[in-house]
Amino acid sequence: MAFNDLLLRTLNGEKTDRPPVWFMRQAGRYMKEYREVRSKVTFLELCKSPELCTEVTLQPIRAFGFDNAILFSDILIPVEPMGIELDFNPAPLIANPVRTLADADKLREIDPAKDVPFVLETVKMLVKALDVPLIGFSGAPFTLACYMVEGKGSKNFEHIKIMMHTEPKAYAVLMEKLTNSTLKYLQAQVDAGAHVVQMFDTWAGILSPYDYEKFVFPYVKYIVDNIKGAPMIYFAKDSYSFSDTMGKLNCAGMGVDWKTKLVDADAKLGAGKYVLQGNFDPVLLFGTKEAIKEQADQILAEGKTLKGHIFNLGHGILPTTPVENVDYLVKLVKGQA
Ligand code: CP3
């Protein structure tokens, strides 16, 4: 089959007949094929096996015909070799959270070829196996720092916010090491063949717009400005309040969550500056076909007014999502429903 380059043309600003469609976390527990593979290994073992990662990356492409694949891994995989003791249950759990300057000083920057060879091997295997583009990814430095400092997910993220404002040196050392490691990690994925990279800033939205601009934006900008050879999509959840600041980033695509209309996000980011990705509410995949179609049609109509649109969910797909609705929504976007 010919290579499907719809995502690449869209990110390049070309007009296409329909938007490409993929879903964040499209490989995972809502698929029985994934649960079958996962029943035999731990999540970390899965992430470190190029053969199994390749298999679970391909599962949603085969089952639903998404227009691109996303590397199967986790945003926390590259922080383990920095010196973090990591486990999943299934949410991330860190035994030695970073709380002081001494803790931050002990961390080391990664060398992807030496520290995460299995990720680069997976990228190479996938590029050979796929007839659609492959998205590589990383966490953004701040979102990784949230887990490293809190030690797990959190409601208020007070440890990281307090570090930011009372131990600026510790925060800066941590963020500089994460920024350098993340740039090297993404560049290694591109050099191994990834066609696009996405940076997930899932927790940026916990910050005030002032703190986003001062404590997060410069690090993101450094990575965006220095990655070479592939377009980047930046996804910061809950980011409407600081999307004017995000509008100073020279990346190709911006992710939008379901709480902001695509047209409103576009206006605040800088009208027509970016290809936008999103933003179907993942919980609506539990709704009726009528409810799914109504929101999908609204998003598709707004998407047509943009520089470009990549149809996606506004955040990751939930583990109990009915597969028949995934199939239906993908077909709707492709004009096959
Ligand atoms: O999109 C894909 O299909 C690629 C795979 C992928 C995973 N995690 C697999 C995974 C990607 C892109 C991620 C990114 C990720 N991981 C993010 C950013 C995106 C987002 O959703 O905000 C974050 C914040 C994490 C951290 C993380 N890892 C959490 C919060 C969890 C638990 C999630 C839950 O629902 O319980 C994980 C574990 C994880 N990562 C699983 C998968 C498939 C579940 C592990 C299992 O099989 O037990």
Side-chain angles (χ1 to χ4, degrees):
M1 217 174 90
F3 186 77
N4 170 353
D5 64 355
L6 193 54
L7 175 74
L8 306 182
R9 287 189 286 125
T10 300
L11 279 168
N12 199 29
E14 293 174 35
K15 287 286 161 218
T16 58
D17 296 339
R18 66 166 178 87
V21 51
W22 71 283
F23 291 172
M24 288 187 278
R25 309 280 286 263
Q26 64 191 17
R29 286 164 291 174
Y30 74 102
M31 291 187 73
K32 66 174 182 327
E33 297 90 329
Y34 174 85
R35 295 193 300 270
E36 170 72 29
V37 171
R38 181 64 178 75
S39 69
K40 297 180 189 118
V41 288
T42 67
F43 181 64
L44 271 172
E45 285 166 346
L46 170 53
C47 288
K48 292 176 186 178
S49 159
E51 289 75 21
L52 295 180
C53 284
T54 298
E55 166 58 21
V56 297
T57 302
L58 296 174
Q59 286 171 348
I61 311 298
R62 288 188 204 117
F64 308 111
F66 287 110
D67 289 305
N68 61 269
I70 177 160
L71 167 72
F72 189 85
S73 185
D74 192 81
I75 57 167
L76 290 166
I77 292 298
V79 309
E80 199 177 37
M82 292 180 76
I84 290 293
E85 293 164 35
L86 176 66
D87 211 345
F88 286 88
N89 140 35
L93 211 62
I94 286 168
N96 55 340
V98 178
R99 294 284 167 83
T100 63
L101 178 58
D103 294 339
D105 278 334
K106 268 188 265 161
L107 298 170
R108 64 178 191 84
E109 288 176 17
I110 65 161
D111 171 353
K114 237 178 46 227
D115 292 323
V116 286
F118 46 86
V119 172
L120 306 180
E121 184 60 29
T122 306
V123 170
K124 287 180 193 154
M125 288 172 71
L126 281 167
V127 170
K128 276 192 204 133
L130 286 164
D131 52 20
V132 292
L134 176 67
I135 301 183
F137 74 90
S138 76
F142 177 72
T143 288
L144 297 173
C146 282
Y147 283 106
M148 289 165 85
V149 173
E150 300 293 332
K152 53 186 191 299
S154 168
K155 201 159 166 251
N156 296 317
F157 292 92
E158 56 258 43
H159 292 292
I160 180 100
K161 285 193 187 178
I162 292 169
M163 179 190 279
M164 203 179 243
H165 292 287
T166 65
E167 297 236 39
K169 181 88 177 100
Y171 181 79
V173 168
L174 172 59
M175 287 295 281
E176 273 161 34
K177 287 182 179 177
L178 279 169
T179 300
N180 291 332
S181 296
T182 300
L183 175 60
K184 283 195 254 176
Y185 183 57
L186 287 174
Q187 191 63 58
Q189 292 179 45
V190 173
D191 295 345
H195 301 90
V196 174
V197 284
Q198 173 157 325
M199 194 153 58
F200 288 89
D201 220 347
T202 305
W203 301 121
I206 65 160
L207 295 174
S208 71
Y210 312 106
D211 282 349
Y212 178 83
E213 182 157 17
K214 182 168 172 189
F215 292 103
V216 177
F217 176 75
Y219 302 98
V220 174
K221 182 169 173 4
Y222 180 82
I223 295 170
V224 171
D225 286 346
N226 286 287
I227 187 93
K228 293 192 176 62
M232 184 186 282
I233 303 167
Y234 176 61
F235 172 63
K237 204 178 144 227
D238 283 326
S239 58
Y240 185 69
S241 75
F242 49 78
S243 46
D244 46 346
T245 302
M246 282 164 52
K248 295 179 206 152
L249 292 170
N250 283 316
C251 54
M254 286 286 186
V256 181
D257 72 49
W258 70 93
K259 284 179 280 182
T260 304
K261 285 186 178 182
L262 290 175
V263 290
D264 293 341
D266 188 56
K268 195 160 177 188
L269 284 162
K273 180 163 182 189
Y274 301 101
V275 172
L276 298 192
Q277 172 171 282
N279 63 345
F280 190 92
D281 183 346
V283 178
L284 238 165
L285 279 170
F286 294 83
T288 61
K289 293 244 184 328
E290 292 70 30
I292 291 171
K293 181 164 171 22
E294 187 179 334
Q295 186 169 106
D297 284 346
Q298 282 167 323
I299 290 169
L300 288 167
E302 283 190 29
K304 287 201 180 105
T305 71
L306 305 172
K307 174 183 186 182
H309 178 216
I310 301 163
F311 194 99
N312 204 319
L313 307 179
H315 195 200
I317 191 166
L318 295 166
T320 51
T321 302
V323 286
E324 60 275 18
N325 288 348
V326 174
D327 188 52
Y328 176 64
L329 181 54
V330 174
K331 288 201 165 97
L332 267 180
V333 179
K334 293 175 126 186
Q336 297 166 355

